[in-house]
Amino acid sequence: MFEIFLFVNPIGLYCYDTEVLIKDAIDELNINSCFHFIPVTNSKVIKEDIIRRKTSGQIINDIPEYTMASYQALRNYHAIKFEYGNRKARCYLVSLQKAVSGDFNVYSQDLPEQVALDLGLDFNRINSSKISKYVDDSIQQDKDLARKFNVKNIPTTIIFNESGNYNGILLEGIVAHDKLIALFKNSACNQIPDEPKEENSYYPTRHLRLM
């Protein structure tokens, strides 16, 4: 059993690509896994994604709208998790990320509601003030988890093998498919190939699980 923690920007460019790569690797190897999806946003996360988009040729026309969209996506995720469960919450973020991954400027104030409706979710229920306290508490719990795991950059993937020991692997940035496959095939999931770091790709370090 592999336990996977994926810390992502709710609307991040690399985050969608990382999610797809991990899912493809899990499906390819047909492995048993427990997946934890932890969206994180703050001024650093937002700035880094804007820079990545600019590097890839995307120019965000309205940065305040991007900032608002990131925080709204975060709150919507936690509200959906409370009202509909983890699976629906993940589907919501993945669908939203997919919609803006190629060009954030397609975003509009109606997009979050449309994504929710496409998934059969009641948008008014998600935005009810009755659950705002839960949303605040849930966001704080994820912040605490990121701090305990010493997550410094987004996206970050942490992989533990429950059948091995309590050591794990922390990877920052986009995870190369072949290296991800090699990690999953490693029964201990604690051996790190002796390779140089590559920009925006595969940044592995030994990671000790915090109980």
Side-chain angles (χ1 to χ4, degrees):
M1 162 71 81
F2 287 93
E3 189 171 15
I4 303 166
F5 294 82
L6 179 57
F7 295 82
V8 300
N9 177 335
I11 56 174
L13 179 65
Y14 287 175
C15 298
Y16 174 70
D17 295 336
T18 301
E19 293 153 23
V20 171
L21 282 168
I22 292 174
K23 184 179 183 301
D24 287 348
I26 290 172
D27 291 344
E28 180 178 331
L29 296 177
N30 193 28
I31 62 176
N32 193 13
S33 63
C34 177
F35 199 82
H36 305 279
F37 198 77
I38 304 103
V40 177
T41 193
N42 54 45
S43 58
K44 177 178 180 289
V45 169
I46 289 170
K47 181 180 179 180
E48 288 175 348
D49 191 57
I50 290 173
I51 292 172
R52 287 167 182 160
R53 288 177 183 272
K54 184 176 181 179
T55 301
S56 67
Q58 291 189 42
I59 302 298
I60 296 179
N61 296 328
D62 191 339
I63 292 178
E65 183 177 51
Y66 176 95
T67 302
M68 177 276 296
S70 183
Y71 281 102
Q72 182 185 23
L74 179 70
R75 294 192 67 84
N76 286 350
Y77 169 84
H78 286 276
I80 294 169
K81 185 169 69 169
F82 177 73
E83 293 288 350
Y84 294 96
N86 289 327
R87 184 175 177 275
K88 283 289 187 180
R90 287 197 299 268
C91 287
Y92 173 80
L93 271 198
V94 170
S95 297
L96 188 62
Q97 289 170 350
K98 186 176 181 180
V100 300
S101 63
D103 181 8
F104 176 78
N105 296 314
V106 303
Y107 182 89
S108 70
Q109 293 185 5
D110 296 332
L111 181 60
E113 182 173 5
Q114 186 58 56
V115 170
L117 291 175
D118 290 344
L119 294 172
L121 309 178
D122 184 336
F123 200 64
N124 291 327
R125 181 176 164 187
I126 294 167
N127 286 276
S128 172
S129 60
K130 296 179 180 179
I131 62 172
S132 61
K133 179 62 167 59
Y134 165 81
V135 171
D136 291 340
D137 290 345
S138 186
I139 290 173
Q140 186 59 51
Q141 288 173 17
D142 279 358
K143 287 181 179 179
D144 293 342
L145 184 63
R147 190 176 302 111
K148 288 173 68 175
F149 278 159
N150 199 30
V151 173
K152 300 295 185 182
N153 298 292
I154 300 297
T156 285
T157 306
I158 300 175
I159 304 172
F160 296 108
N161 187 346
E162 293 296 299
S163 301
N165 51 39
Y166 291 111
N167 289 323
I169 295 293
L170 182 149
L171 307 107
E172 296 180 343
I174 296 179
V175 186
H177 178 75
D178 58 336
K179 297 181 175 72
L180 186 59
I181 292 293
L183 281 175
F184 281 128
K185 286 183 175 180
N186 172 9
S187 60
C189 199
N190 62 5
Q191 296 176 4
I192 301 174
D194 185 16
E195 299 181 9
K197 294 181 178 180
E198 301 170 2
E199 186 176 359
N200 296 330
S201 179
Y202 195 63
Y203 288 25
T205 57
R206 294 198 194 285
H207 197 72
L208 183 64
R209 182 175 184 183
L210 301 178
M211 301 300 290

